[in-house]
Amino acid sequence: MVSALGMTAVLGGCGLGSGSDEVTLKLVAADYGDSEANSSRKYWDGLVQEYEKKHPNVTVDVTVHSWNDVDREVKEMVAAGDAPDMAQIGAYADYAADGLLYSADDLLSISTQADFVSQLADAGEVNSTQYGMPFAASTRLLFYNKALFAKAGLSAPKTWEDLAADAAALKAEGVKYPYALPLGAEEAQAETMQWLLSGGGGYTENLGTSYGLDSAENVATLTWLKDDLVGKGLTGPVAPGKLNRAAAFAAFADGEVGMLNGHPTLMKMAAKKGVKFGMVPMPGIDGPTHYSMGVADWMTAFRKNGHAEQVGDFLDFVYDEKNVLAFSREYDLLPVTASASDVMSTAAQDKDLRPFLEELPVSELYPVGRTSWATVSAAVKKQIGAAVRPGGSPEVVLGRLQSTAVRAEGAAE
C-alpha cells in the first residue's frame, strides 16, 4: 500500500527536487553514543552529506539530543507549534492519535515499507495504520559472569529454580550482586516485562486487546521474585526499587554481578573491562522462556510543514540496507529491516549480535500503539519496586497499576 504522494516519491527517485524550490527538512534524533567519539551526530552527518550530494535542493538539518531529553524536546516543539519534519524518538501513539503524523503509507516506497521486520511494523500501528516507523531494535538475554560461575562450579540456569540456586551459590562465594534486579525508575518497565513474560504473563492479555497487569500469572511472578530472590538476599546490597539499569550494567562490567538481563550494549561494556560472559535465553518456570522482550525506537514524520514527498524520499534513503547495517553495527543494535537482518544473520562480523537477532522473531514489544502506554510505563517505573520489597504486596501493587491502566485507557478513548 502506498499513497499517490508516496508513489510520486518512488517514481521521482534521485531526481526529486530538480526544478523545484529548495526545501529544508528538520530532523530531531536521539543519541545512541556513549561519548563524543561515537555520537549519533557523526552518523547523521555522514548520512545527510551523502544524501544532499544527490539532492541539491534538499537540506536536512539534524539536531541530536540525549535520550534523557529528546522526547521532552520534541513534545515542547510540538506544543509550541514548531514540530520538526521528522523525529526519531521513543514513542509515537499520542501524536498519531492527535492526527499530527503522516502514516508510513503516505511517505515510503512499497519496497521500503515491505522490508520492515513484520512484528516491528505491526507494533508501529494505531488502529491498523502504521504511524511509527521502527528505527532501532534490541532484545534481552540473560548475561552471566563466566569466571564467577566457574569458581562456584555452576552452569547457566534454564529455570527459575536453577537461577535461584545459582544465585545462592554465588552469594556464598561473596558475589556482591548474585542476580542484579534493576527495578529503579530508569528502566523498571523493561526488567518487569521480561520477568512477567517468563512467568507466562505480560502487560496485556486477550491477544493484546486489554491490559492485564494484575493477572494471576503476574502476581505469581512478582511473588516468586519477592520471596525467592529479594527476600533471600540474592539481589545485592541495593534495593531493586533503587537500582537503575545503568548502575547494574556498570556493576556487571566491574565483575560484581553474577547474572542480569542485558541487551547488546552490555557486550561491549563487559568486553572493554575484560569480563568474560555467557548469554542464554531468560529462564522460565519450567525451562527457557519462549518469549523475549523486544524494544524498538521510532521514526515519526509530522504533517505540520507539508514536505511529505521530500520526507518520504529521504526516509527511503535512511532505510536503505547499507545505512541500516551501518547504524546497527555502530551501536550494537538489531536492524529493523528484513534485508539487513538477513545479512547480519550470516555475516561473520555480526556473530556476537546473532543470539539477540535470533530472539527478535519471538520477542514481544511494549504496547506502544496505545496512547495510554506512556502513563502506564511511568506508573510501573515509579511503583513496581514496592511490590518486591520486604512487606510489599505484589497483588496490591499490580492491582493499583491495573487501575491506572484502565483509567488511562478510558482517557485515551
Side-chain angles (χ1 to χ4, degrees), residues 99-113:
L100 301 179
L101 300 182
Y102 286 113
S103 70
D105 285 349
D106 292 329
L107 303 169
L108 302 177
S109 68
I110 294 173
S111 58
T112 297
Q113 201 172 350

Side-chain angles (χ1 to χ4, degrees), residues 302-387:
F302 287 87
R303 292 180 172 274
K304 171 88 173 143
N305 301 321
H307 301 163
E309 185 176 354
Q310 291 85 356
V311 169
D313 192 76
F314 177 66
L315 290 180
D316 279 341
F317 177 73
V318 168
Y319 286 109
D320 183 82
E321 180 185 299
K322 70 179 179 64
N323 295 328
V324 172
L325 281 171
F327 178 84
S328 302
R329 287 166 171 164
E330 176 66 29
Y331 298 108
D332 287 330
L333 292 164
L334 303 182
V336 297
T337 61
S339 58
S341 296
D342 287 344
V343 172
M344 192 171 277
S345 67
T346 57
Q349 72 185 94
D350 302 311
K351 67 180 187 304
D352 289 343
L353 281 172
R354 210 161 295 152
F356 295 94
L357 192 62
E358 290 169 356
E359 291 290 306
L360 190 57
V362 292
S363 66
E364 184 170 323
L365 281 73
Y366 301 131
V368 288
R370 296 174 178 272
T371 56
S372 56
W373 170 241
T375 298
V376 174
S377 177
V380 170
K381 290 179 182 181
K382 187 175 181 180
Q383 300 177 37
I384 202 67

Side-chain angles (χ1 to χ4, degrees), residues 83-127:
D85 295 283
M86 295 165 282
Q88 188 267 298
I89 47 181
Y92 64 87
D94 285 354
Y95 299 128
D98 290 340
L100 301 179
L101 300 182
Y102 286 113
S103 70
D105 285 349
D106 292 329
L107 303 169
L108 302 177
S109 68
I110 294 173
S111 58
T112 297
Q113 201 172 350
D115 197 25
F116 286 133
V117 174
S118 59
Q119 76 265 42
L120 299 180
D122 291 345
E125 292 184 354
V126 174
N127 295 326

Side-chain angles (χ1 to χ4, degrees), residues 7-18 51 54-55 309 313 316:
M7 188 64 77
T8 300
V10 179
L11 297 176
C14 291
L16 177 93
S18 56
Y51 182 79
K54 299 178 181 177
H55 302 83
E309 185 176 354
D313 192 76
D316 279 341

Side-chain angles (χ1 to χ4, degrees), residues 51-312:
Y51 182 79
E52 289 178 348
K53 281 182 181 179
K54 299 178 181 177
H55 302 83
N57 291 343
V58 178
T59 299
V60 184
D61 180 10
V62 183
T63 304
V64 174
H65 294 283
S66 76
W67 270 112
N68 293 329
D69 302 323
V70 67
D71 287 288
R72 175 180 51 78
E73 291 282 350
V74 172
K75 191 174 289 289
E76 290 175 357
M77 292 173 71
V78 172
D82 188 29
D85 295 283
M86 295 165 282
Q88 188 267 298
I89 47 181
Y92 64 87
D94 285 354
Y95 299 128
D98 290 340
L100 301 179
L101 300 182
Y102 286 113
S103 70
D105 285 349
D106 292 329
L107 303 169
L108 302 177
S109 68
I110 294 173
S111 58
T112 297
Q113 201 172 350
D115 197 25
F116 286 133
V117 174
S118 59
Q119 76 265 42
L120 299 180
D122 291 345
E125 292 184 354
V126 174
N127 295 326
S128 301
T129 298
Q130 185 183 356
Y131 294 97
M133 292 164 276
F135 183 76
S138 69
T139 55
R140 299 291 197 271
L141 291 170
L142 184 78
F143 282 66
Y144 64 96
N145 183 308
K146 284 187 173 181
L148 296 179
F149 265 60
K151 184 179 178 183
L154 303 174
S155 57
K158 296 181 179 179
T159 67
W160 287 1
E161 184 179 353
D162 294 342
L163 188 149
D166 287 353
L170 292 166
K171 182 183 179 182
E173 290 286 339
V175 175
K176 188 174 182 180
Y177 294 90
Y179 178 86
L181 183 66
L183 296 180
E186 180 191 4
E187 206 183 35
Q189 82 285 1
E191 182 74 10
T192 300
M193 183 171 173
Q194 183 65 76
W195 274 99
L196 297 184
L197 289 172
S198 74
Y203 287 129
T204 60
E205 57 186 3
N206 300 325
L207 299 177
T209 59
S210 60
Y211 283 105
L213 284 101
D214 59 350
S215 69
E217 292 86 356
N218 291 349
V219 171
T221 295
L222 290 187
T223 299
W224 186 87
L225 278 175
K226 175 179 177 291
D227 295 344
D228 289 67
L229 281 189
V230 182
K232 293 181 179 179
L234 302 179
T235 54
V238 180
K242 301 291 185 182
L243 181 65
N244 283 327
R245 179 197 56 79
F249 276 23
F252 186 84
D254 287 337
E256 299 177 334
V257 175
M259 299 172 279
L260 84 170
N261 282 316
H263 53 63
T265 303
L266 184 56
M267 293 190 299
K268 188 176 290 185
M269 289 180 63
K272 192 178 294 184
K273 292 286 192 77
V275 172
K276 303 294 184 184
F277 59 88
M279 302 179 298
V280 293
M282 176 68 180
I285 298 172
D286 300 315
T289 182
H290 298 299
Y291 298 101
S292 172
M293 190 198 72
V295 176
D297 302 323
W298 306 96
M299 179 68 74
T300 59
F302 287 87
R303 292 180 172 274
K304 171 88 173 143
N305 301 321
H307 301 163
E309 185 176 354
Q310 291 85 356
V311 169

